[in-house]
């Protein structure tokens, strides 16, 4: 059954960005992209000019973006800076990826014995510094020997799929790594014409629905859409959180449908 979205203070969403030891609640704008068919999620934070000479951030600093209402915040993005930032930078923005960036940086050379895919992945995640994960509970044959020669974790996941003849995807959602499984969706958000749909249009191959800030949204979730242009239950392909030109936080949801 579709869940009706809470309307409390929807015009005044809260934003908090934690980067390294800094915490920002104003003077910034954000944009994050999360797509089911991309190897990683990414985004950027733009600072107002007065912050620029005060900020110094090394590469791989942790970033956590939180959105919410009435002081109740939810993590919508957890990731890593892909380039350091200091006052000498010509830009007033920083770019970041989710923790697939850490998997790209983790180099593994090992020979695994009497192992399953889960055994290998757990070891690789430990090397990459990833503590939160949820792996498929499916049972796979044990391999007596599985050599790995100078592969990062992204390459290793492909090698595992090829060796076991499977097509499991690995991705991060809100800082947790998923392989061969996905988070359970407890509620299905409902988007209504004349209520919480700001705009709805169709691009080349997907619908683009703009709504208020919805911190719980993520790709691969089901949504209900009731609109004169299209009605039904759909699966999200991509979700973008962004501060628009007027300074308001918006969620843009992309989905396929006739």
């Amino acid at each position: 059954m579709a869940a009706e979205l809470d309307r409390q203070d929807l015009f005044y969403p809260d934003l908090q960005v934690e980067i390294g030891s800094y915490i920002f609640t104003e003077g910034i704008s954000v944009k994050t992209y999360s797509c089911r068919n991309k190897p990683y999620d990414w985004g950027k934070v733009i600072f107002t000019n007065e912050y620029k000479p005060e900020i110094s951030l090394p590469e791989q600093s942790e970033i956590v973006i939180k959105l919410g209402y009435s002081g109740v915040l939810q993590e919508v993005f957890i990731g890593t800076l892909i380039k350091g930032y200091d006052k000498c930078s010509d830009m007033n923005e920083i770019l970041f990826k989710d923790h697939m960036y850490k998997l790209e940086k983790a180099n593994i050379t090992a020979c695994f014995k009497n192992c399953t895919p889960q055994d290998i992945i757990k070891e690789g995640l430990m090397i990459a510094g990833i503590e939160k994960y949820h792996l498929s509970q499916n049972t796979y044959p044990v391999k007596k020997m599985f050599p790995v020669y100078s592969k990062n974790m992204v390459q290793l996941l492909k090698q595992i799929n090829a060796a076991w003849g499977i097509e499991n995807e690995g991705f991060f959602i809100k800082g947790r790594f998923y392989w061969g499984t996905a988070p359970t969706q407890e509620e299905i958000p409902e988007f209504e014409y004349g209520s919480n749909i700001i705009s709805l249009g169709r691009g080349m191959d997907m619908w683009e629905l703009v709504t208020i800030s919805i911190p719980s949204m993520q790709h691969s979730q089901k949504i209900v859409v009731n609109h004169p242009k299209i009605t039904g239950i759909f699966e999200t392909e991509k979700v973008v959180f962004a501060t628009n030109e007027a300074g308001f936080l918006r969620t843009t949801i992309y989905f396929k449908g006739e």
Side-chain angles (χ1 to χ4, degrees), residues 12 15 58 70 101-102 105 109 118-119 200 203 241 244-245 257:
Y12 303 99
L15 166 66
S70 300
Y101 186 69
K102 288 187 176 183
K105 293 291 185 179
T109 295
Q118 290 92 331
D119 295 329
L200 178 67
F241 294 103
N244 67 14
E245 294 180 356

Side-chain angles (χ1 to χ4, degrees), residues 19-20 22 56-62 80-85:
I19 315 174
Y22 300 96
S56 179
L57 293 162
E59 182 182 347
Q60 297 195 48
S61 294
E62 187 91 352
T80 305
L81 265 62
I82 61 176
K83 184 179 180 181
Y85 181 94

Side-chain angles (χ1 to χ4, degrees), residues 194-208:
S195 176
N196 56 0
I197 296 178
I198 295 173
S199 66
L200 178 67
R202 186 173 175 85
M204 291 292 292
D205 60 348
M206 284 191 286
W207 289 90
E208 179 182 294

Side-chain angles (χ1 to χ4, degrees), residues 27-244:
I28 56 172
S29 60
V30 301
K31 195 164 192 177
T32 68
Y33 298 81
S34 179
C35 182
R36 66 187 301 175
N37 294 319
K38 300 295 183 183
Y40 56 80
D41 297 342
W42 69 279
K44 63 181 178 180
V45 172
I46 302 173
F47 304 101
T48 54
N49 289 331
E50 59 264 29
Y51 278 132
K52 186 174 179 180
E54 306 296 330
I55 300 171
S56 179
L57 293 162
E59 182 182 347
Q60 297 195 48
S61 294
E62 187 91 352
I63 179 167
V64 180
I65 296 177
K66 299 178 180 180
L67 300 176
Y69 294 94
S70 300
V72 180
L73 300 173
Q74 295 184 43
E75 295 176 346
V76 300
F77 195 104
I78 299 175
T80 305
L81 265 62
I82 61 176
K83 184 179 180 181
Y85 181 94
D86 58 37
K87 61 185 178 182
C88 297
S89 173
D90 293 332
M91 305 293 289
N92 64 339
E93 66 180 34
I94 58 170
L95 300 176
F96 50 87
K97 293 181 179 180
D98 67 16
H99 285 329
M100 290 300 285
Y101 186 69
K102 288 187 176 183
L103 300 193
E104 291 174 342
K105 293 291 185 179
N107 189 275
I108 300 167
T109 295
C111 186
F112 297 90
K113 297 180 180 179
N114 300 318
C115 59
T116 65
Q118 290 92 331
D119 295 329
I120 301 167
I121 293 170
K122 287 178 183 178
E123 181 70 19
L125 293 175
M126 183 182 70
I127 292 172
I130 304 300
E131 298 179 353
K132 296 179 180 180
Y133 57 82
H134 192 74
L135 309 181
S136 170
Q137 297 298 303
N138 290 344
T139 300
Y140 299 100
V142 173
K143 289 195 179 295
K144 292 183 177 180
M145 198 79 69
F146 188 83
V148 180
Y149 301 105
S150 192
K151 296 274 180 72
N152 66 36
M153 266 299 291
V154 176
Q155 295 168 330
L156 179 55
L157 292 173
K158 294 179 180 179
Q159 182 181 344
I160 289 170
N161 276 353
W164 268 270
I166 54 181
E167 296 183 353
N168 286 356
E169 295 183 356
F171 55 88
F172 283 90
I173 290 181
K174 300 181 179 180
R176 184 180 295 273
F177 179 74
Y178 293 85
W179 181 80
T181 185
T184 301
Q185 184 175 355
E186 297 179 356
E187 296 181 334
I188 303 178
E190 184 170 344
F191 298 94
E192 294 273 357
Y193 175 72
S195 176
N196 56 0
I197 296 178
I198 295 173
S199 66
L200 178 67
R202 186 173 175 85
M204 291 292 292
D205 60 348
M206 284 191 286
W207 289 90
E208 179 182 294
L209 186 155
V210 179
T211 184
I212 56 175
S213 175
I214 310 290
S216 61
M217 282 304 308
Q218 59 196 41
H219 71 69
S220 303
Q221 285 185 328
K222 288 182 170 58
I223 60 172
V224 172
V225 178
N226 291 312
H227 192 280
K229 293 181 180 178
I230 188 169
T231 296
I233 299 177
F234 307 95
E235 196 164 290
T236 59
E237 299 290 328
K238 180 169 69 171
V239 176
V240 177
F241 294 103
T243 309
N244 67 14

